[in-house]
Amino acid sequence: MFLRCGTFALSLERPLVMGVVNVTPDSFSDGGRHLSRESAIAHARSLIEEGADILDIGGESTRPGAAAVSLIEERRRVLPVVEALAGCGVPISVDTRKPELMREAIAAGASLVNDIGGAEAPGVLELIKETGAGVCLMHKQGEPQTMQQNPQYADVVAEVRAYLAARIGAAVAAGVARESIAIDPGFGFGKTYEHNLALLKHLPSIAALGVPVLAGLSRKAMLGRITGREPQARVYASVAAALFAAEQGARILRVHDVTATRDALAVWWTLSGRMPIS
Ligand code: HH2
């Protein structure tokens, strides 16, 4: 299995690690740590050294209750970082819902669009087709401001799966190559603890849709509920969750802690009888 994004064809024979770079003052686990351009770029470079296969650059927190950010502000945060990292050797993903910023980021060197809005905004799928960028289609229920207040599903797994299948269908109908599409059930995006557990348990049925599954569990509240720890102290919990997601069929793991995740993946992958990860 491959994921094509721009000039990259990423082999998904082994799970890939996507390192998170939040250029925000208010992200739930690392808000304000990489808000300046210089520190975001330095952080991104250190994640590459740690072995990140993809970098995900975001300028808007989408944690529950987060305030929306204007295009001007999000652009100011994200674009210089993308520009500085273009050509760094790993694909740059832009974590945004704004089509204008997607276009500008791709022009500046990004090759993957990570859209928590499922590429539903007008023009996004056309942009992906036109530019040859990859796209991650994520499911969420509601909007970050209020999504955790009362999420409701009759059957969370069936509903999320059907949504993702429909978004793959819409992307392909718009002319996006199937190999350029990844999907994500969107852990914590309009989901209770029980919804998240059900989605993890049934991740193989989502992976059966036939495009790579991205899982973003790193430092999230469900891990706090299990361990009783604050976001920055959820590294071990996040590593365990990443391994479990990989075992369940996830092929891209979106994480804050790249070294820890890579080492754990390499050991698990090798001990389970597969080719060592270089
Ligand atoms: N989670 C977050 C942000 N973007 N994208 C995808 N595809 N999947 C996710 O699970 C996902 C995501 C939230 O994490 P983080 O970026 O660390 O926090 P914040 O939104 O507060 O910046």
Side-chain angles (χ1 to χ4, degrees):
M1 193 184 259
F2 278 89
L3 180 66
R4 288 200 183 278
C5 29
T7 55
F8 293 90
L10 298 173
S11 167
L12 298 157
E13 287 307 307
R14 62 158 178 95
L16 300 183
V17 175
M18 171 188 258
V20 178
V21 180
N22 282 324
V23 197
T24 58
D26 56 346
S27 286
F28 77 94
S29 81
D30 55 359
R33 291 198 58 202
H34 314 296
L35 186 54
S36 81
R37 184 172 307 189
E38 294 69 29
S39 103
I41 295 167
H43 180 58
R45 292 200 193 285
S46 72
L47 294 185
I48 297 173
E49 284 197 0
E50 290 180 31
D53 300 294
I54 306 170
L55 290 177
D56 191 35
I57 320 287
E60 178 184 40
S61 172
T62 48
R63 73 185 153 72
V69 172
S70 71
L71 171 63
I72 291 172
E73 177 59 16
E74 197 177 332
R75 175 191 284 140
R76 196 189 63 76
R77 294 176 186 174
V78 167
L79 269 192
V81 181
V82 173
E83 276 162 9
L85 293 169
C88 67
V90 304
I92 306 298
S93 158
V94 61
D95 185 351
T96 184
R97 292 187 280 171
K98 297 187 175 72
E100 299 90 335
L101 183 56
M102 292 173 191
R103 182 175 288 282
E104 293 165 4
I106 293 169
S111 48
L112 180 64
V113 167
N114 176 21
D115 184 357
I116 66 149
E120 286 186 41
V124 174
L125 293 175
E126 292 68 22
L127 172 69
I128 301 298
K129 181 200 164 193
E130 184 193 311
T131 58
V135 65
C136 177
L137 306 168
M138 199 195 80
H139 173 275
K140 67 175 171 55
Q141 186 182 85
E143 293 299 316
Q145 272 287 336
T146 53
M147 65 189 177
Q148 287 306 102
Q149 284 174 9
N150 189 21
Q152 301 269 359
Y153 301 85
D155 179 340
V156 66
V157 177
E159 288 170 48
V160 169
R161 189 178 193 279
Y163 173 83
L164 294 174
R167 294 313 299 155
I168 296 170
V172 171
V176 174
R178 225 184 141 78
E179 312 87 72
S180 297
I181 302 171
I183 52 174
D184 182 348
F187 293 103
F189 284 86
K191 282 135 195 143
T192 63
Y193 176 72
E194 288 74 20
H195 294 144
N196 290 324
L197 290 190
L199 286 166
L200 259 179
K201 182 173 171 191
H202 295 284
L203 209 56
S205 82
I206 290 175
L209 290 172
V211 301
V213 171
L214 185 154
L217 292 154
S218 187
R219 302 188 185 178
K220 284 193 176 167
M222 65 179 288
L223 306 180
R225 165 131 169 207
I226 296 170
T227 61
R229 295 193 190 281
E230 292 303 310
Q232 286 177 10
R234 295 177 191 159
V235 179
Y236 309 118
S238 301
V239 169
L243 287 189
F244 185 74
E247 184 75 59
Q248 294 290 84
R251 278 294 167 267
I252 304 172
L253 304 163
R254 182 182 183 277
V255 304
H256 301 87
D257 304 290
V258 170
T259 302
T261 312
R262 251 198 94 96
D263 282 5
L265 269 176
V267 170
W268 165 69
W269 194 250
T270 306
L271 298 190
S272 57
R274 288 169 275 208
M275 288 293 287
I277 296 176
S278 55

